[in-house]
């Protein structure tokens, strides 16, 4: 197991839940709020890229799941490369991309991404295939991924290496706001969860240490989530603040 490898039990869980993943109202709502929060940034970057180069935005999404966010972002991008370690999730996304009304600019890949030059990534140019330099991206997204990653330092280093100079990350996950943050997951799904939310100052400092410029970590939205009370198993609603963690690769 590498420092980036999600817990194997976690991967088995996501494979088992893939077929019903989109039926979870909390998952749908978190994704909707993530896209609504990120859409102005993505649109602005796409407009800037189009104005300066007359080309579209190259996007990488790490931990794409079944593609709930991917499909929303795709119309704003030239291409979105969507990566996940759970093959069950990727198979669901692949099935979606075959639908008649689906965007045709999504490339689903099942991979634990540890190397910015991994041959599974698209080449930077046609004559770089199959094992030359890999494409670098204008924007990297991840949503509800970081709390599953054992060591976030190499994860962030990989993302930094996948960016073009001046490229940006926008990473979203729920905040570690105290002891009740653990209730984001029911007790039966805690295995494979590496941390109960992301501490705001800690992730900001870590992104700077890894090498990101213009780091900004802020609460983007709050998700009201029905959770189990661990003492009496009754359900109650808790507000979970979600962080948007932004950073830029130096020019």
């Amino acid at each position: 197991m590498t420092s980036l490898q999600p817990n194997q039990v976690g991967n088995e869980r996501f494979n088992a839940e893939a077929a019903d993943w989109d039926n979870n109202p909390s998952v749908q709502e978190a994704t909707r709020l993530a896209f609504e929060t990120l859409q102005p940034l993505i649109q602005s970057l796409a407009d800037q890229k189009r104005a300066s180069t007359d080309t579209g935005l190259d996007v990488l999404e790490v931990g794409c799941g079944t593609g709930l966010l991917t499909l929303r972002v795709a119309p704003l991008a030239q291409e979105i490369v969507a990566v996940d370690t759970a093959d069950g999730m990727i198979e669901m996304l692949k099935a979606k991309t075959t639908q008649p009304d689906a965007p045709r600019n999504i490339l689903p890949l099942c991979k634990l991404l540890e190397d910015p030059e991994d041959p599974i990534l698209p080449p930077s140019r046609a004559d770089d295939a199959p094992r030359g330099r890999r494409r670098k991206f204008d924007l990297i997204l991840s949503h509800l991924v970081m709390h599953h990653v054992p060591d976030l330092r190499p994860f962030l280093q990989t993302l930094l290496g996948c960016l073009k100079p001046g490229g940006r990350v926008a990473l979203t996950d729920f905040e570690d706001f105290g002891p009740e943050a653990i209730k984001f997951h029911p007790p039966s799904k805690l295995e494979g969860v590496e941390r109960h939310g992301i501490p705001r100052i800690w992730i900001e400092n870590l992104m700077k240490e890894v090498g990101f410029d213009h780091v900004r970590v802020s609460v983007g939205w709050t998700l009201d989530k029905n959770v189990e009370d661990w003492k009496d198993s009754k359900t109650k609603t808790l507000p979970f603040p979600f962080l948007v963690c932004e950073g830029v690769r130096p020019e």
Side-chain angles (χ1 to χ4, degrees):
M1 179 179 292
T2 74
S3 59
L4 295 185
Q5 177 66 59
N7 184 289
Q8 185 60 32
V9 174
N11 243 10
E12 291 171 358
R13 171 200 156 195
F14 289 125
N15 283 330
E17 295 183 7
D20 290 324
W21 188 254
D22 292 1
N23 296 324
N24 185 324
S26 179
V27 168
Q28 289 281 0
E29 181 67 0
T31 306
R32 182 186 69 81
L33 291 167
F35 178 68
E36 288 183 358
T37 302
L38 296 174
Q39 184 178 13
L41 169 65
I42 301 170
Q43 187 65 66
S44 175
L45 293 175
D47 292 344
Q48 292 171 31
K49 177 84 179 290
R50 183 67 64 184
S52 62
T53 67
D54 200 31
T55 58
L57 207 61
D58 289 317
V59 179
L60 172 66
E61 184 185 357
V62 179
C64 63
T66 63
L68 290 173
L69 183 60
T70 317
L71 289 162
R72 288 172 165 89
V73 173
L76 303 177
Q78 176 171 272
E79 184 176 53
I80 180 165
V81 177
V83 182
D84 201 281
T85 60
D87 56 359
M89 293 287 188
I90 287 294
E91 289 306 312
M92 292 297 295
L93 175 54
K94 286 180 177 178
K96 292 177 183 179
T97 62
T98 65
Q99 298 302 309
D101 58 346
R104 300 303 180 203
N105 61 340
I106 299 172
L107 176 60
L109 300 173
C110 185
K111 180 69 176 182
L112 171 65
L113 191 59
E114 298 178 284
D115 180 2
E117 299 300 323
D118 193 308
I120 198 171
L121 293 170
S124 60
R125 302 185 307 271
D127 57 357
D128 279 338
R131 297 194 63 85
R133 282 187 56 78
R134 301 295 95 187
R135 182 185 305 169
K136 304 305 174 187
F137 297 88
D138 301 300
L139 175 65
I140 297 177
L141 304 172
S142 83
H143 174 56
L144 281 171
V145 172
M146 291 191 293
H147 69 273
H148 288 290
V149 178
D151 187 350
L152 281 174
R153 184 180 295 272
F155 174 79
L156 292 171
Q157 289 170 334
T158 297
L159 300 190
L160 185 68
C162 288
L163 286 173
K164 298 175 183 177
R168 181 180 296 268
V169 293
L171 318 173
T172 64
D173 213 325
F174 70 101
E175 183 178 13
D176 179 356
F177 58 90
E180 287 206 304
I182 195 174
K183 295 179 181 178
F184 190 85
H185 299 90
S188 61
K189 295 183 179 180
L190 283 181
E191 195 164 6
V193 175
E194 296 293 335
R195 57 187 62 81
H196 307 297
I198 307 298
R200 192 185 313 191
I201 300 301
W202 175 78
I203 192 65
E204 181 176 337
N205 289 335
L206 182 58
M207 290 178 71
K208 291 176 181 177
E209 289 172 15
V210 165
F212 286 98
D213 279 349
H214 307 293
V215 174
R216 180 175 181 267
V217 178
S218 59
V219 174
W221 71 92
T222 298
L223 174 70
D224 292 324
K225 181 177 171 67
N226 292 328
V227 302
E228 291 181 26
D229 189 295
W230 289 20
K231 294 179 181 179
D232 56 18
S233 298
K234 292 182 179 178
T235 300
K236 65 177 181 178
T237 301
L238 276 180
F240 288 87
F242 270 68
L243 298 178
V244 180
C245 307
E246 300 177 64
V248 176
R249 178 172 178 170
E251 295 278 2

